[in-house]
């Protein structure tokens, strides 16, 4: 999916990287979503979720500093730094609108 930023397994912590007792205990998937409802829908519709791989799913908010500024939160209690970043990027000529970043649109 073009929405996924990064994904990978979560393992039990061990002293050595290749320790066989470091078993996978879940996955971490970071992806772009327009709001919480969209994020939950995306997570619930992953093939691994649909096949019952997970006992439970948890969706947590994060606000990355996306280079396009497109996915910055618009939540009134969290958006101030994000809006400042988007305004600064626009001022310095970085693409911040959908028509400038067609490769990121879904």
């Amino acid at each position: 999916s073009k929405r996924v930023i990064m994904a990978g397994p979560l393992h039990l912590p061990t002293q050595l990287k290749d320790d066989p007792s470091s078993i996978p205990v879940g996955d971490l998937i970071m992806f772009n979503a327009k709001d919480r409802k969209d994020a939950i829908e995306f997570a619930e519709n992953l093939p691994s979720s649909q096949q019952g791989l997970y006992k439970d799913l948890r969706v947590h908010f994060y606000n990355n500093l996306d280079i396009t500024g497109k996915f910055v939160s618009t939540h009134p209690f969290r958006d101030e730094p994000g809006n400042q970043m988007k305004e600064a990027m626009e001022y310095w000529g970085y693409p911040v609108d959908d028509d400038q970043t067609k490769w990121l649109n879904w």
Side-chain angles (χ1 to χ4, degrees):
S1 170
K2 293 180 180 180
R3 297 175 64 177
V4 175
I5 297 167
M6 63 172 251
L10 296 174
H11 288 259
L12 290 175
T14 57
Q15 189 172 12
L16 301 173
K17 181 180 177 181
D18 58 354
D19 187 331
S21 65
S22 178
I23 59 171
V25 293
D27 292 317
L28 173 66
I29 305 170
M30 298 184 79
F31 58 92
N32 290 310
K34 295 176 183 174
D35 54 31
R36 183 167 178 77
K37 182 181 174 188
D38 184 46
I40 291 170
E41 183 178 311
F42 181 81
E44 289 177 341
N45 287 309
L46 289 169
S48 49
S49 299
Q50 293 288 312
Q51 295 299 316
L53 181 63
Y54 305 114
K55 178 181 172 185
D56 61 84
L57 293 171
R58 297 179 189 172
V59 175
H60 297 278
F61 172 82
Y62 75 96
N63 194 8
N64 65 341
L65 294 178
D66 183 351
I67 60 166
T68 67
K70 282 179 56 175
F71 299 107
V72 174
S73 169
T74 56
H75 189 285
F77 300 110
R78 300 185 293 233
D79 70 349
E80 191 58 35
N83 280 345
Q84 290 173 359
M85 176 60 73
K86 183 175 180 178
E87 289 168 7
M89 291 171 67
E90 187 172 28
Y91 175 82
W92 290 105
Y94 288 91
V96 296
D97 296 314
D98 284 347
D99 62 335
Q100 298 171 309
T101 56
K102 293 179 173 77
W103 63 90
L104 289 174
N105 298 336
W106 61 77

